[in-house]
Amino acid sequence: MLSVVVAPWGGDPVFARAGDEPHDAASTMKVAVLAALHRSGADLDARVPVVNAFASAAGGEFGNDPDWDSDPVPWSLLGRTAPLRLLAERMITHSSNLATNLCLARTGHAAVAGAWRRAGATHSSSPRGIEDHRARDAGLHNRVTARDLVRLLQSLDGEPELLALLERNAFRVDLAAGLPPGTRVAFKNGWFPGVRHSVGLVHPDDCPPYLLAVCYTGPLASGADEAEADPAARLVARISAEVWRRRHAVTRTPTGPAGATGTAPAARPGPPSR
C-alpha cells in the first residue's frame, strides 16, 4: 500500500492518494512524542536516568533491543544519567528507540494523544512505546496516515525549535534524497522490514514551502538504513523528486471558488529502479 499527501505549508492538500489509509507508524510517531514533551513544560535540561525497562501499555515491563536501534549513543549512557534535551534530540536526529521510550516515560501516552488531537488527526494514534510487543500482541498498535502526518507537521507552526530539530535528521535516504543537494527540509522518517515512511516540510528557495508525506507498506521495504539496500527508500525519493519538480504548482495561491485548492497532483510513481 502506497499513500501520498502533498500540501502547501498552511494550506489544504492539493493531492492525496490513499491519504487516510492506516499504516504501522514506525518511527514517525516520534514527532508526536517530541511535540508532547516540549509542550509539557518539562525541564529539558534535567538529567534523567538512562534505563532499559519501561511500563508496558498492556501491563508488566518491556525493554528495547540494541540490535534494532539505529543510534548507539543513548546505549552508551545506560546506567548513567543524561539531559532530557539530549534524549529528545537523539530521538529525532538519529531515531533512537531507547531515547524515545525514555522521553515517552516522562511525558506519558495521554500527552502524546493530545498532540495528535491538537493536530486534528483522525486516524493516527500512539498508544504504546517502541518495541512494546506485549501491548502490540494485545491489539494496541501505533498507526499513522499520510494525511495525519501532514497535519502533525502543520501543527508545529509557531514552534520553530521543533521544526529546526527535524531539519537535523541524519537519515537523508528517502524524502530528502529526492531533493536537490542543500535543500532545507524538516522531516522524519521511519522504517523496518515491510515499512518505509517519510514526512517533511520542504523549503525551496524559489517558492513557498510545502509538505509531503509518503507511507509505504509492502515487500519493497527491506528495513535497511541505506537507500541502496532499500527499494522503498528509493521509491520515496522518486516521489519526492517528482513533487519538487511540480513545486510551483503545489504552492501557488489558489484561484476559483472559496476553499478551492490548487491543482498540482504528484504523478503516480512507477516501480523503483533496482
Side-chain angles (χ1 to χ4, degrees):
M1 170 57 66
L2 176 66
S3 301
V4 182
V5 172
V6 184
W9 178 242
D12 295 327
V14 296
F15 175 79
R17 180 191 192 278
D20 295 317
E21 182 71 25
H23 297 257
D24 191 297
S27 290
T28 58
M29 56 85 72
K30 294 171 182 177
V31 179
V33 176
L34 177 70
L37 180 65
H38 275 252
R39 294 166 186 168
S40 71
D43 180 3
L44 298 181
D45 295 317
R47 301 187 71 89
V48 300
V50 179
V51 299
N52 187 27
F54 308 100
S56 170
E61 287 190 340
F62 75 99
N64 290 116
D65 183 346
D67 293 336
W68 281 92
D69 207 332
S70 57
D71 184 14
V73 169
W75 290 96
S76 71
L77 301 171
L78 201 62
R80 299 155 59 189
T81 64
L84 190 54
R85 186 184 308 278
L86 172 66
L87 297 173
E89 289 174 357
R90 301 303 294 195
M91 172 176 68
I92 297 300
T93 62
H94 289 75
S95 207
S96 167
N97 292 340
L98 181 61
T100 300
N101 285 334
L102 289 165
C103 291
L104 184 56
R106 289 285 161 170
T107 191
H109 289 286
V112 178
W116 283 116
R117 285 196 303 272
R118 175 167 166 173
T122 57
H123 295 83
S124 300
S125 62
S126 309
R128 62 173 176 84
I130 301 288
E131 296 180 66
D132 184 353
H133 302 312
R134 182 193 299 266
R136 180 198 62 193
D137 293 344
L140 297 175
H141 300 290
N142 293 333
R143 299 291 193 200
V144 296
T145 69
R147 194 184 307 274
D148 284 345
L149 287 175
V150 163
R151 289 168 171 156
L152 183 59
L153 255 62
Q154 290 271 32
S155 75
L156 302 184
D157 189 19
E159 298 177 281
E161 68 278 12
L162 304 190
L163 292 170
L165 183 56
L166 289 166
E167 290 185 27
R168 293 165 48 196
N169 186 347
F171 294 100
R172 312 181 79 82
V173 298
D174 39 53
L175 189 153
L179 303 173
T183 301
R184 183 182 166 201
V185 55
F187 73 109
K188 184 72 189 79
N189 35 18
W191 63 94
F192 57 76
V195 165
R196 169 67 65 170
H197 309 325
S198 197
V199 57
L201 171 60
V202 182
H203 293 268
D205 289 334
D206 57 355
C207 68
Y210 65 87
L211 290 152
L212 167 64
V214 183
C215 297
Y216 171 81
T217 300
L220 292 178
S222 71
D225 293 349
E226 306 83 15
E228 294 79 8
D230 191 344
R234 300 197 300 272
L235 172 63
V236 176
R238 287 180 58 193
I239 295 170
S240 180
E242 181 63 20
V243 175
W244 171 268
R245 189 177 71 82
R246 301 179 180 218
R247 65 194 181 279
H248 295 287
V250 169
T251 61
R252 68 171 174 242
T253 302
T255 58
T261 57
T263 56
R268 295 192 178 187
S273 58
R274 295 183 179 272

